[in-house]
Amino acid sequence: MIIVNNSLSNLSQTNMERLDDFISSSDESTIFHTLDWNLILLNNLESNKEQKRVIFVEESSMIKGVLFFIKINKKILFDYNYSPSTKYETPYGGPIFNGDPKVLAAIFNSLKGHFFGNTIIHTSPLASNLITNFYYREHRAETVIINLKESQENLWNSLKRNTKRNVKK
């Protein structure tokens, strides 16, 4: 198994095409996993303190897993990794892989082996149990569902007092 942890800007055209093929064939991928989206971030948002990076795992010349992330240098020897970068408001990131736990382990081991700091991964709720297997803490985001058939007055009256303070009417 070969693990590549590289800056997105240093990828060869061949590797870009291979990654694009792998991502487009995955049922778990979203637009935020695509190479095109990640290149937009690279070309428009990268600063001196941010690096758009990719980890991919290959076996027998076939890509088996990929993780795009942004590495932000906060202090000497202390970095943050975001997948996807939450500051750019993309809902899902995290790894895409072929289902083999060894591939996922290789991705996470490469991710956490190079720095002291935090790693934040926003992924599909279906994939979160895989992440906790690698000693990452899980924080579930809540989805709020509002019955819009109710009147505005009934909706307002059903809110708690402290919640009402944070709502602009």
Side-chain angles (χ1 to χ4, degrees):
M1 200 175 309
I2 299 170
I3 301 146
V4 177
N5 186 337
N6 202 348
S7 171
L8 192 56
S9 59
N10 292 338
L11 283 179
S12 69
Q13 185 63 36
T14 302
N15 279 339
M16 285 187 182
E17 290 170 4
R18 293 173 60 226
L19 283 168
D20 205 29
D21 289 342
F22 176 78
I23 293 164
S24 64
S25 68
S26 172
D27 292 337
E28 288 80 31
S29 67
T30 67
I31 189 172
F32 306 110
H33 289 102
T34 63
L35 192 58
D36 287 341
W37 178 258
N38 284 281
L39 289 173
I40 288 170
L41 292 180
L42 172 72
N43 293 329
N44 294 293
L45 304 172
E46 191 170 81
S47 71
N48 291 339
K49 294 187 176 189
E50 296 181 359
Q51 292 180 355
K52 188 70 179 143
R53 299 190 62 83
V54 62
I55 296 171
F56 64 92
V57 177
E58 61 180 315
E59 196 170 58
S60 304
S61 299
M62 302 233 356
I63 293 179
K64 303 290 185 178
V66 64
L67 173 69
F68 291 101
F69 65 102
I70 290 182
K71 181 177 183 175
I72 301 175
N73 299 327
K74 294 286 188 177
K75 298 178 182 176
I76 297 172
L77 296 177
F78 197 83
D79 299 331
Y80 287 87
N81 290 329
Y82 294 95
S83 177
S85 177
T86 55
K87 66 189 226 180
Y88 302 130
E89 301 301 326
T90 58
Y92 292 140
I96 300 172
F97 68 108
N98 66 349
D100 183 350
K102 291 178 185 174
V103 171
L104 189 59
I107 290 171
F108 283 133
N109 288 336
S110 180
L111 182 64
K112 67 183 180 181
H114 295 89
F115 70 99
F116 296 103
N118 290 326
T119 298
I120 299 169
I121 299 173
H122 291 260
T123 189
S124 161
L126 301 174
S128 65
N129 62 337
L130 297 170
I131 291 172
T132 57
N133 290 340
F134 292 95
Y135 306 105
Y136 286 92
R137 288 178 297 168
E138 178 182 25
H139 173 77
R140 290 193 177 251
E142 294 183 12
T143 301
V144 178
I145 299 173
I146 299 174
N147 182 356
L148 295 178
K149 293 179 182 177
E150 294 286 331
S151 70
Q152 183 178 3
E153 183 179 342
N154 284 346
L155 289 171
W156 182 253
N157 290 335
S158 67
L159 293 177
K160 295 178 184 173
R161 183 174 164 220
N162 288 338
T163 305
K164 288 180 181 179
R165 291 182 189 160
N166 296 318
V167 175
K168 294 179 184 174
K169 259 186 153 179

